[in-house]
Amino acid sequence: MANVLTQSEIDALLNSLTSGEDVQPEKEEQPSDQAVRLYDFRTANKFSKEQMRTLHTISDNFATVLSTRMTGMLRTLSEVTVISVEEQSFGEFNNSIPLPALIAVVNAQPLNGSMIFQMSSSVVYGIISCLFGGTADYTDESKPFSEIDLALMQNVIPQYLKILEDSWERVAKLRLKLDRIETSPQFTQIAAANEPSALITFNVKIDSIEDMMTICMPHFIIQPLSKQLNSTAWALGEQGLVKRERDLKLESQVLETKVSLRARLQSSRITMAELLRMKPGDILCTSHRIDDFVLMDVEKIPKFKAVLGKADEKRVVQIAKIIKEQENIERQ
């Protein structure tokens, strides 16, 4: 039993009482087994390492583009870097949000549920100060946000969400829409407290201000995309994106290409003497019937069948049929 002293411990205590020394009883060393540890299945990791690496890659792309966008928008050097991508329960994240803070609730269609886009007060005031022509040197982080501050960020945050959409394009086409902005975490209970969430933390530096920005994505939102969050899908998505860009570029070039279009009747043969005697008003006879189709060539290739007509005192043709490629059209 753990509460029973040995004889040597009792003797040591008696000796300490007579001598006045403070002697602690010796503890027997317990054998330790490093191979055994407690495991709570209720808090098991829901995100695999490969999924976390893919989320880190997506976040890196988002941070790189956002840095450039913020630098151009704020007219000052801005830098956004990824600090960590980790798994944490939503309750721990929600309780750790400092006050005051800007908490944007974002709908991620077509996925079910919402995600959190949170920015510290110093970053928000730095953005607002630069937008109004000042510098990002605001240090009073305890000041609550005004209605003007919130209205301004209502227009700024959707621009950042568009960049986040583009960063996710290789994995899935998301439509991120700002639902509302809150300043207290008690109004942003978008998931259960024990719901595992992917917590992406960024470091934002604007002039002399340097603070945090966080994206929280509960597991039930990302779960439909679990198969796409791997290196193979990311590589295939990159190839698909390059192919789409190439196809769009080729399509724009083709649509702007000019081609020749002509309608031709049946051909006729005359002698050189008849050609030299021709004058305005002469009539050329052909074997083409008035009710026969007229062939229309696109770059000398038959493409349409048309009928002759007249509109606004002009000779016109009306397309009646499209010639398919497999049809054998006589070009004579």
Side-chain angles (χ1 to χ4, degrees), residues 95-263:
N95 294 332
S96 64
I97 297 178
L99 295 178
L102 188 80
I103 310 171
V105 180
V106 180
N107 292 331
Q109 300 176 355
L111 304 178
N112 295 324
S114 303
M115 54 184 287
I116 295 294
F117 189 89
Q118 183 259 328
M119 304 174 70
S120 65
S121 59
S122 58
V123 172
V124 174
Y125 283 126
I127 293 173
I128 294 174
S129 178
C130 290
L131 288 177
F132 282 101
T135 58
D137 55 358
Y138 198 84
T139 56
D140 187 6
E141 300 180 1
S142 61
K143 178 185 175 182
F145 298 113
S146 65
E147 294 296 329
I148 297 177
D149 298 334
L150 298 179
L152 187 62
M153 295 306 296
Q154 285 273 4
N155 296 324
V156 172
I157 292 180
Q159 301 181 43
Y160 298 165
L161 296 180
K162 181 61 175 65
I163 300 174
L164 188 58
E165 282 183 6
D166 297 338
S167 301
W168 274 86
E169 188 175 7
R170 298 181 186 177
V171 176
K173 291 185 177 181
L174 302 181
R175 297 188 301 275
L176 303 181
K177 182 180 179 182
L178 178 61
D179 183 18
R180 66 185 187 275
I181 292 180
E182 302 290 350
T183 57
S184 176
Q186 63 179 338
F187 301 113
T188 57
Q189 300 290 338
I190 62 172
N194 60 348
E195 176 68 21
S197 304
L199 196 64
I200 308 169
T201 307
F202 301 88
N203 182 71
V204 182
K205 186 176 182 180
I206 310 172
D207 286 343
S208 60
I209 288 180
E210 187 172 0
D211 215 321
M212 304 296 180
M213 179 178 70
T214 308
I215 296 177
C216 178
M217 305 183 70
H219 179 262
F220 66 85
I221 294 182
I222 308 180
Q223 186 175 9
L225 304 176
S226 57
K227 293 183 179 180
Q228 289 93 316
L229 288 174
N230 56 69
S231 56
T232 303
W234 178 265
L236 293 176
E238 183 177 5
Q239 294 176 3
L241 182 61
V242 172
K243 184 178 183 300
R244 285 196 299 271
E245 292 177 352
R246 184 176 64 251
D247 292 344
L248 290 174
K249 184 177 181 179
L250 180 60
E251 181 181 357
S252 63
Q253 293 175 349
V254 170
L255 293 177
E256 295 297 328
T257 302
K258 294 183 179 181
V259 295
S260 62
L261 177 67
R262 70 171 184 173

Side-chain angles (χ1 to χ4, degrees), residues 4-56:
V4 179
L5 300 179
T6 61
Q7 184 61 43
S8 60
E9 292 175 341
I10 296 174
D11 295 339
L13 288 175
L14 293 176
N15 294 332
S16 65
L17 290 176
T18 56
S19 60
E21 296 178 355
D22 186 10
V23 176
Q24 297 292 337
E26 296 180 357
K27 295 182 180 180
E28 295 182 358
E29 293 185 358
Q30 299 293 332
S32 60
D33 190 354
Q34 297 295 335
V36 179
R37 63 184 179 89
L38 296 177
Y39 187 82
D40 188 355
F41 286 92
R42 295 173 298 177
T43 60
N45 292 337
K46 294 294 184 69
F47 297 91
S48 65
K49 292 182 178 180
E50 189 172 13
Q51 291 175 346
M52 299 302 282
R53 284 196 296 267
T54 306
L55 287 175
H56 200 291

Side-chain angles (χ1 to χ4, degrees), residues 48-67:
S48 65
K49 292 182 178 180
E50 189 172 13
Q51 291 175 346
M52 299 302 282
R53 284 196 296 267
T54 306
L55 287 175
H56 200 291
T57 304
I58 295 173
S59 303
D60 278 334
N61 292 347
F62 169 67
T64 301
V65 179
L66 183 60
S67 299

Side-chain angles (χ1 to χ4, degrees), residues 259-267 294-306 308 316-317 319 323 330-332:
V259 295
S260 62
L261 177 67
R262 70 171 184 173
R264 59 183 172 92
L265 302 173
Q266 294 292 338
S267 59
V294 177
L295 289 180
M296 298 189 66
D297 295 343
V298 177
E299 293 294 331
K300 299 181 180 182
I301 299 176
K303 186 63 179 176
F304 306 105
K305 289 182 178 181
L308 294 172
V316 297
V317 290
I319 295 176
I323 300 175
E330 185 180 356
R331 301 189 182 185
Q332 299 297 331

